[in-house]
């Protein structure tokens, strides 16, 4: 299936477009389940959503959320954890019911509770709540989606993964030193992501151009995990001009 894409002038317009798609989905399906992403790219999507919530345009009360991933070996709510990110950028500013928000409970891994138990529990929770209706994705410079780095297989489930060196390097801007960046995470798998009914990937900036172009036009391969999205029937890439610049 060819991946559909739309190109907006810049990061702000692309983010606004994605937020608009989310708002209309939520207003049409007020009890739907959203898959959410972290990183710098979606920050302005969340800003837009918070603004539109404050303007009374929508309510998140009936919405269930599942985040793509969480770092391993950080205490719950650590400032660099994705739970803290979600609270800071989104959860604390809207009327989401906190009991309906989910991130992989990576902090619960210990000598008695394995990463596999935590991962399987997350996968089952998603399934038991009816699956993900609308999944937001970013993309890494190496084509990762969630923390499915190159090498991840199309049917991979939620699981413990090692982060690629390029990801650790890219994410070090959120930490004081590269050494502080966690080396592992629990991530939804490619298989988990592909079960979402609709997928919207937001990519902006020239650094993402190659990964975006090969995800859209290149072969379906583990070398670029985002290329697996070609096998899904309802995917939209929302790009700014720079991120779209390498598409043939
Ligand atoms: P970024 O990360 O938005 O911080 O570039 C995207 C991703 O790695 O999925």
């Amino acid at each position: 299936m060819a991946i559909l894409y739309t190109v907006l002038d810049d990061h702000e317009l692309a983010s606004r477009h994605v937020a608009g798609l989310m708002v209309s989905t939520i207003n049409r399906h007020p009890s739907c389940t959203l898959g959410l992403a972290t990183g710098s790219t979606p920050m302005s999507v969340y800003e837009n959503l918070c603004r539109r919530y404050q303007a009374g345009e929508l309510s998140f009360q009936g919405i269930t959320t599942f985040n793509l991933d969480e770092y391993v070996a950080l205490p719950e709510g650590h400032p660099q954890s994705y739970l803290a990110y979600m609270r800071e950028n989104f959860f604390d500013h809207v009327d989401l019911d906190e009991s309906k928000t989910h991130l992989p409970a990576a902090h619960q891994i210990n000598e008695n509770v394995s990463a596999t138990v935590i991962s399987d529990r997350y996968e089952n929770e998603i399934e038991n709540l009816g699956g993900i209706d609308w999944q937001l994705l970013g993309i890494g410079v190496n084509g990762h989606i969630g923390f499915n780095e190159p090498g991840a297989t199309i049917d991979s489930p939620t699981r413990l993964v090692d982060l690629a060196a390029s990801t650790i390097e890219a994410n070090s801007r959120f930490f004081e030193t590269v050494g502080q960046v966690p080396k592992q995470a629990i991530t939804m798998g490619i298989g988990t992501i592909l079960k979402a009914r609709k997928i919207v990937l937001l990519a902006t900036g020239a650094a993402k151009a190659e990964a975006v172009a090969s995800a859209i036009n290149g072969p379906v391969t583990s070398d670029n995990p985002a290329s697996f999205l070609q096998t899904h029937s309802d995917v939209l890439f929302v790009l700014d001009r720079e991120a779209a610049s390498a598409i043939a």
Side-chain angles (χ1 to χ4, degrees):
M1 227 38 207
I3 292 179
L4 294 177
Y5 64 93
T6 183
V7 184
L8 285 298
D9 271 345
D10 58 26
H11 174 75
E12 184 47 42
L13 289 174
S15 306
R16 210 179 295 167
H17 187 71
V18 169
L21 295 174
M22 288 177 89
V23 171
S24 45
T25 299
I26 292 164
N27 281 335
R28 267 182 288 126
H29 306 286
S31 55
C32 70
T33 297
L34 301 177
L36 298 178
T38 50
S40 20
T41 312
M43 274 185 184
S44 35
V45 173
Y46 296 126
E47 256 175 57
N48 269 275
L49 289 174
C50 293
R51 209 177 310 130
R52 295 182 72 162
Y53 163 73
Q54 277 144 22
E57 291 180 43
L58 78 161
S59 167
F60 294 93
Q61 255 168 17
I63 299 296
T64 299
T65 69
F66 284 94
N67 266 82
L68 282 167
D69 42 25
E70 179 61 283
Y71 287 126
V72 165
L74 294 182
E76 186 177 24
H78 181 281
Q80 308 303 344
S81 69
Y82 287 155
L83 174 60
Y85 170 106
M86 290 309 299
R87 286 180 173 155
E88 212 172 293
N89 291 291
F90 190 39
F91 295 166
D92 286 354
H93 310 287
V94 296
D95 62 347
L96 271 164
D97 174 349
E98 209 183 322
S99 69
K100 293 186 184 152
T101 64
H102 306 83
L103 285 92
H107 64 278
Q108 287 176 3
I109 298 169
N110 60 36
E111 59 279 11
N112 301 314
V113 183
S114 69
T116 309
V117 166
I118 297 297
S119 302
D120 292 353
R121 208 180 275 165
Y122 201 62
E123 188 84 28
N124 290 335
E125 234 176 335
I126 296 172
E127 203 143 316
N128 293 340
L129 289 172
I132 290 168
D133 296 305
W134 199 104
Q135 175 70 54
L136 175 63
L137 293 181
I139 184 171
V141 290
N142 61 1
H144 77 201
I145 48 176
F147 274 134
N148 294 283
E149 305 284 18
T153 55
I154 190 166
D155 56 356
S156 49
T158 300
R159 68 204 185 288
L160 177 70
V161 289
D162 293 328
L163 306 191
S166 62
T167 301
I168 293 172
E169 176 63 34
N171 290 5
S172 65
R173 66 192 191 280
F174 298 112
F175 293 80
E176 277 170 28
T177 65
V178 179
Q180 289 176 355
V181 185
K183 309 284 181 293
Q184 292 186 309
I186 302 275
T187 184
M188 282 188 201
I190 306 278
T192 323
I193 292 169
L194 290 175
K195 283 188 211 150
R197 293 174 190 95
K198 179 168 186 74
I199 298 173
V200 174
L201 182 148
L202 173 62
T204 60
K208 304 291 173 66
E210 288 303 327
V212 164
S214 76
I216 292 177
N217 292 329
V220 175
T221 163
S222 287
D223 294 344
N224 180 339
S227 68
F228 288 126
L229 298 171
Q230 290 179 31
T231 68
H232 192 280
S233 58
D234 193 353
V235 178
L236 175 69
F237 279 26
V238 179
L239 309 170
D240 69 357
R241 283 193 193 286
E242 288 182 351
S245 61
I247 299 172

